[in-house]
PDB file of all heavy atoms in Angstrom:
ATOM      1  N   VAL N 274       1.637  16.703  -8.761  1.00 92.00           N
ATOM      2  CA  VAL N 274       0.785  16.746  -7.571  1.00 92.00           C
ATOM      3  C   VAL N 274       1.526  16.199  -6.360  1.00 92.00           C
ATOM      4  O   VAL N 274       1.518  16.794  -5.277  1.00 92.00           O
ATOM      5  CB  VAL N 274      -0.522  15.960  -7.832  1.00 92.00           C
ATOM      6  CG1 VAL N 274      -1.283  15.754  -6.532  1.00 92.00           C
ATOM      7  CG2 VAL N 274      -1.388  16.706  -8.824  1.00 92.00           C
ATOM      8  N   ARG N 275       2.178  15.057  -6.548  1.00 89.00           N
ATOM      9  CA  ARG N 275       2.921  14.466  -5.413  1.00 89.00           C
ATOM     10  C   ARG N 275       4.089  15.343  -4.993  1.00 89.00           C
ATOM     11  O   ARG N 275       4.401  15.441  -3.801  1.00 89.00           O
ATOM     12  CB  ARG N 275       3.417  13.068  -5.798  1.00 89.00           C
ATOM     13  CG  ARG N 275       2.325  12.027  -5.929  1.00 89.00           C
ATOM     14  CD  ARG N 275       2.915  10.638  -6.004  1.00 89.00           C
ATOM     15  NE  ARG N 275       3.712  10.458  -7.200  1.00 89.00           N
ATOM     16  CZ  ARG N 275       3.263   9.945  -8.343  1.00 89.00           C
ATOM     17  NH1 ARG N 275       1.992   9.556  -8.433  1.00 89.00           N
ATOM     18  NH2 ARG N 275       4.049   9.812  -9.395  1.00 89.00           N
ATOM     19  N   ALA N 276       4.757  15.973  -5.966  1.00 88.00           N
ATOM     20  CA  ALA N 276       5.963  16.741  -5.651  1.00 88.00           C
ATOM     21  C   ALA N 276       5.653  18.106  -5.052  1.00 88.00           C
ATOM     22  O   ALA N 276       6.415  18.601  -4.205  1.00 88.00           O
ATOM     23  CB  ALA N 276       6.823  16.904  -6.908  1.00 88.00           C
ATOM     24  N   LEU N 277       4.542  18.740  -5.466  1.00 89.00           N
ATOM     25  CA  LEU N 277       4.303  20.135  -5.104  1.00 89.00           C
ATOM     26  C   LEU N 277       3.121  20.359  -4.161  1.00 89.00           C
ATOM     27  O   LEU N 277       3.093  21.372  -3.456  1.00 89.00           O
ATOM     28  CB  LEU N 277       4.084  20.977  -6.370  1.00 89.00           C
ATOM     29  CG  LEU N 277       5.264  21.033  -7.352  1.00 89.00           C
ATOM     30  CD1 LEU N 277       4.876  21.810  -8.597  1.00 89.00           C
ATOM     31  CD2 LEU N 277       6.491  21.644  -6.693  1.00 89.00           C
ATOM     32  N   LEU N 278       2.153  19.476  -4.143  1.00 88.00           N
ATOM     33  CA  LEU N 278       0.946  19.735  -3.369  1.00 88.00           C
ATOM     34  C   LEU N 278       0.899  19.010  -2.034  1.00 88.00           C
ATOM     35  O   LEU N 278      -0.050  19.189  -1.275  1.00 88.00           O
ATOM     36  CB  LEU N 278      -0.303  19.355  -4.188  1.00 88.00           C
ATOM     37  CG  LEU N 278      -0.502  20.135  -5.479  1.00 88.00           C
ATOM     38  CD1 LEU N 278      -1.858  19.819  -6.069  1.00 88.00           C
ATOM     39  CD2 LEU N 278      -0.343  21.629  -5.251  1.00 88.00           C
ATOM     40  N   GLY N 279       1.870  18.205  -1.737  1.00 81.00           N
ATOM     41  CA  GLY N 279       1.926  17.534  -0.448  1.00 81.00           C
ATOM     42  C   GLY N 279       2.830  18.273   0.517  1.00 81.00           C
ATOM     43  O   GLY N 279       3.367  19.341   0.210  1.00 81.00           O
ATOM     44  N   PRO N 280       2.994  17.753   1.708  1.00 75.00           N
ATOM     45  CA  PRO N 280       3.936  18.360   2.646  1.00 75.00           C
ATOM     46  C   PRO N 280       5.358  18.247   2.112  1.00 75.00           C
ATOM     47  O   PRO N 280       5.670  17.364   1.308  1.00 75.00           O
ATOM     48  CB  PRO N 280       3.739  17.555   3.934  1.00 75.00           C
ATOM     49  CG  PRO N 280       3.136  16.272   3.497  1.00 75.00           C
ATOM     50  CD  PRO N 280       2.322  16.568   2.274  1.00 75.00           C
ATOM     51  N   GLY N 281       6.228  19.132   2.537  1.00 62.00           N
ATOM     52  CA  GLY N 281       7.614  19.087   2.111  1.00 62.00           C
ATOM     53  C   GLY N 281       8.289  17.802   2.534  1.00 62.00           C
ATOM     54  O   GLY N 281       7.852  17.102   3.453  1.00 62.00           O
ATOM     55  N   GLU N 282       9.361  17.470   1.847  1.00 62.00           N
ATOM     56  CA  GLU N 282      10.062  16.209   2.129  1.00 62.00           C
ATOM     57  C   GLU N 282      10.530  16.143   3.574  1.00 62.00           C
ATOM     58  O   GLU N 282      10.381  15.119   4.244  1.00 62.00           O
ATOM     59  CB  GLU N 282      11.249  16.071   1.172  1.00 62.00           C
ATOM     60  CG  GLU N 282      12.007  14.764   1.324  1.00 62.00           C
ATOM     61  CD  GLU N 282      13.132  14.642   0.322  1.00 62.00           C
ATOM     62  OE1 GLU N 282      13.233  15.513  -0.575  1.00 62.00           O
ATOM     63  OE2 GLU N 282      13.911  13.681   0.431  1.00 62.00           O
ATOM     64  N   LEU N 283      11.077  17.230   4.078  1.00 61.00           N
ATOM     65  CA  LEU N 283      11.562  17.226   5.460  1.00 61.00           C
ATOM     66  C   LEU N 283      10.397  17.114   6.437  1.00 61.00           C
ATOM     67  O   LEU N 283      10.448  16.331   7.394  1.00 61.00           O
ATOM     68  CB  LEU N 283      12.370  18.495   5.729  1.00 61.00           C
ATOM     69  CG  LEU N 283      12.940  18.641   7.138  1.00 61.00           C
ATOM     70  CD1 LEU N 283      13.856  17.471   7.479  1.00 61.00           C
ATOM     71  CD2 LEU N 283      13.673  19.965   7.296  1.00 61.00           C
ATOM     72  N   ALA N 284       9.320  17.884   6.190  1.00 59.00           N
ATOM     73  CA  ALA N 284       8.166  17.818   7.086  1.00 59.00           C
ATOM     74  C   ALA N 284       7.528  16.438   7.067  1.00 59.00           C
ATOM     75  O   ALA N 284       7.121  15.909   8.110  1.00 59.00           O
ATOM     76  CB  ALA N 284       7.145  18.878   6.679  1.00 59.00           C
ATOM     77  N   GLN N 285       7.434  15.842   5.873  1.00 61.00           N
ATOM     78  CA  GLN N 285       6.856  14.505   5.786  1.00 61.00           C
ATOM     79  C   GLN N 285       7.725  13.487   6.502  1.00 61.00           C
ATOM     80  O   GLN N 285       7.216  12.574   7.168  1.00 61.00           O
ATOM     81  CB  GLN N 285       6.683  14.118   4.319  1.00 61.00           C
ATOM     82  CG  GLN N 285       5.995  12.784   4.093  1.00 61.00           C
ATOM     83  CD  GLN N 285       4.579  12.781   4.596  1.00 61.00           C
ATOM     84  OE1 GLN N 285       3.886  13.789   4.513  1.00 61.00           O
ATOM     85  NE2 GLN N 285       4.133  11.654   5.140  1.00 61.00           N
ATOM     86  N   ARG N 286       9.038  13.639   6.361  1.00 63.00           N
ATOM     87  CA  ARG N 286       9.946  12.696   7.031  1.00 63.00           C
ATOM     88  C   ARG N 286       9.837  12.825   8.543  1.00 63.00           C
ATOM     89  O   ARG N 286       9.803  11.827   9.265  1.00 63.00           O
ATOM     90  CB  ARG N 286      11.383  12.987   6.585  1.00 63.00           C
ATOM     91  CG  ARG N 286      12.432  12.082   7.213  1.00 63.00           C
ATOM     92  CD  ARG N 286      12.174  10.647   6.875  1.00 63.00           C
ATOM     93  NE  ARG N 286      13.217   9.775   7.407  1.00 63.00           N
ATOM     94  CZ  ARG N 286      13.097   8.459   7.517  1.00 63.00           C
ATOM     95  NH1 ARG N 286      11.981   7.861   7.127  1.00 63.00           N
ATOM     96  NH2 ARG N 286      14.075   7.739   8.013  1.00 63.00           N
ATOM     97  N   VAL N 287       9.751  14.054   9.044  1.00 63.00           N
ATOM     98  CA  VAL N 287       9.605  14.255  10.488  1.00 63.00           C
ATOM     99  C   VAL N 287       8.291  13.655  10.972  1.00 63.00           C
ATOM    100  O   VAL N 287       8.231  12.989  12.020  1.00 63.00           O
ATOM    101  CB  VAL N 287       9.679  15.754  10.823  1.00 63.00           C
ATOM    102  CG1 VAL N 287       9.286  16.006  12.270  1.00 63.00           C
ATOM    103  CG2 VAL N 287      11.075  16.289  10.562  1.00 63.00           C
TER     104      VAL N 287
END
Side-chain angles (χ1 to χ4, degrees):
V274 168
R275 290 193 295 266
L277 298 176
L278 298 189
E282 183 178 353
L283 180 59
Q285 184 64 35
R286 180 60 177 164
V287 170

